[in-house]
Amino acid sequence: MQVIHKTIKWLVLILSVFVILSFTNKSMNNQMANLNSLEIDYKKFIDNNNVIKYLTKNNVSFDSVLISDINLVLIEEVLNKHPYIRRAEIYCDQTGNINILLNNRIPYVRVIKNSDDFYLDSNMIKLPVSGKYTENVLIITGKFVKSDKKVKKLIKLINNNDFWRSQITQIHFKDKRDVILITRVGDQIIEFGDLNNPKEKLDNLNIFYKKVMPVEGWQKYSKISLKFNNQIVCTKK
């Protein structure tokens, strides 16, 4: 009898939960949708107004629409197609409030190549430039191949170091064996050479900056070459 009694209690509990959930879903489906919040973690290129206009352009509206008529997954897919959005998350509560959280792409470098001009994020995903805001990032020019792992390594070494990020403003690729660095302080051309041993080359250049430049002055040399292993060859003006 006790087993039967417990079984009945569990069946009643399960049935009650099912009824409550059914009632909640039915009530929720009859709720009108309301865009409650739109959070963007990086607003320099797109803000809330830009996102609303983008959704409207793609036939997405929350005005006078039932929750049951809104496909949240589809809206996420639409948002994830925006070039500045890395990931979109959407959730809805029982009162019909819709909340959107956008994790945006952040420009890592800017590529200027012939007539093409665009940003890349840290995953080398392409972002368009914007008339609204210009990001102060490392500039890449010349025969640049973004899929080259050695290229990525050099860019990472520069961007992850406070000194190099402020000092090196541009990388010019004559080809992958002949790379030039353009610096903010000093008008010397830095011949980086090929992309092998980039950390060692930058370390040698850093030592040169600290020990030689304060003595010789920043205007003495027109060219500093890092092409040769563990050597720095300078050309006077």
Side-chain angles (χ1 to χ4, degrees):
M1 289 294 293
Q2 289 183 349
V3 174
I4 296 174
H5 182 66
K6 286 183 179 180
T7 303
I8 292 173
K9 285 178 65 177
W10 276 108
L11 288 174
V12 170
L13 179 61
I14 293 171
L15 181 61
S16 298
V17 171
F18 177 78
V19 170
I20 292 171
L21 289 175
S22 299
F23 176 78
T24 301
N25 287 335
K26 183 177 180 181
S27 177
M28 185 176 175
N29 287 336
N30 290 329
Q31 289 284 348
M32 299 300 293
N34 171 55
L35 181 56
N36 181 57
S37 69
L38 172 55
E39 298 182 21
I40 305 174
D41 66 347
Y42 192 77
K43 289 188 174 183
K44 291 183 178 178
F45 288 93
I46 56 171
D47 56 22
N48 291 35
N49 289 333
N50 299 133
V51 174
I52 297 300
K53 288 179 181 178
Y54 174 76
L55 288 172
T56 301
K57 183 178 179 181
N58 285 274
N59 301 315
V60 175
S61 175
F62 302 105
D63 295 333
S64 303
V65 180
L66 290 173
I67 284 295
S68 57
D69 293 330
I70 290 182
N71 187 333
L72 298 182
V73 174
L74 180 61
I75 296 174
E76 278 192 0
E77 291 176 355
V78 169
L79 287 169
N80 285 329
K81 290 179 181 179
H82 193 289
Y84 286 120
I85 297 174
R86 187 169 70 88
R87 184 177 65 251
E89 296 181 11
I90 307 177
Y91 61 94
C92 178
D93 63 23
Q94 294 182 0
T95 62
N97 287 325
I98 295 174
N99 303 282
I100 301 176
L101 176 61
L102 300 181
N103 184 247
N104 283 357
R105 300 188 188 280
I106 300 175
Y108 196 59
V109 296
R110 183 171 182 172
V111 178
I112 301 175
K113 193 173 182 180
N114 298 324
S115 59
D116 210 359
D117 187 358
F118 56 90
Y119 293 110
L120 295 173
D121 70 1
S122 58
N123 293 316
M124 296 293 148
I125 303 299
K126 189 174 179 179
L127 294 78
V129 295
S130 170
K132 180 180 179 181
Y133 177 76
T134 300
E135 191 83 15
N136 184 21
V137 291
L138 183 66
I139 294 175
I140 308 294
T141 56
K143 299 178 180 178
F144 163 69
V145 180
K146 71 175 184 177
S147 60
D148 190 325
K149 292 182 179 180
K150 291 182 178 180
V151 170
K152 294 180 183 178
K153 184 176 182 179
L154 176 58
I155 292 172
K156 187 175 180 179
L157 283 170
I158 293 172
N159 276 340
N160 288 358
N161 181 283
D162 290 340
F163 174 72
W164 294 127
R165 189 170 61 251
S166 62
Q167 170 65 350
I168 298 173
T169 60
Q170 181 180 342
I171 306 176
H172 179 71
F173 292 85
K174 290 185 176 180
D175 56 51
K176 64 181 181 180
R177 298 176 301 278
D178 194 358
V179 179
I180 302 295
L181 304 182
I182 308 299
T183 57
R184 190 180 308 279
V185 179
D187 57 357
Q188 304 87 11
I189 293 175
I190 309 295
E191 291 185 337
F192 198 78
D194 60 30
L195 294 171
N196 294 321
N197 306 313
K199 186 178 184 303
E200 289 79 359
K201 290 180 179 180
L202 289 174
D203 287 344
N204 289 337
L205 181 60
N206 192 28
I207 293 171
F208 181 82
Y209 277 162
K210 289 180 177 179
K211 293 187 175 182
V212 178
M213 286 303 204
V215 177
E216 299 293 341
W218 287 88
Q219 304 303 320
K220 184 172 183 177
Y221 303 109
S222 61
K223 186 185 299 180
I224 299 173
S225 180
L226 309 173
K227 288 183 176 182
F228 310 100
N229 289 335
N230 296 316
Q231 294 185 58
I232 293 181
V233 178
C234 300
T235 303
K236 293 182 180 179
K237 288 184 178 179

